[in-house]
């Protein structure tokens, strides 16, 4: 997992859910863990205060949390 600027996140995989709150209208996950971020998502992410994101960093020998849990 690594922290990067939102505007550099195109094609990256989110490591956590991102919640959006619109008072009186919506409260819940706007983006789910595992979502691949396209540039079209940047305005929404920035509007909800996400200047940085934690994204999956594939390294040799590392397993994604879901894959590791499945092995257990």
């Amino acid at each position: 997992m690594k922290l990067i600027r939102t505007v550099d996140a195109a094609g990256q995989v989110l490591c956590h859910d991102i919640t959006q709150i619109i008072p009186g209208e919506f409260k819940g996950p706007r983006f789910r863990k595992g979502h691949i971020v396209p540039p079209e998502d940047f305005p929404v992410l920035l509007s909800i205060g996400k200047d940085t994101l934690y994204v999956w960093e594939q390294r040799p020998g590392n397993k994604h949390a879901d894959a590791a849990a499945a092995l257990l």
Side-chain angles (χ1 to χ4, degrees), residues 13-70:
V13 179
L14 291 178
C15 286
H16 56 88
D17 291 350
I18 296 177
T19 300
Q20 182 178 29
I21 301 171
I22 302 172
E25 292 181 36
F26 178 79
K27 179 181 178 183
R30 180 64 172 89
F31 301 100
R32 296 269 186 189
K33 177 178 85 171
H35 176 74
I36 299 172
V37 182
E40 296 81 30
D41 289 346
F42 294 167
V44 175
L45 289 162
L46 294 171
S47 74
I48 60 177
K50 293 298 179 181
D51 297 328
T52 58
L53 300 170
Y54 283 100
V55 296
W56 173 246
E57 182 178 22
Q58 181 62 40
R59 293 185 189 166
N62 281 358
K63 293 200 180 307
H64 188 277
D66 293 341

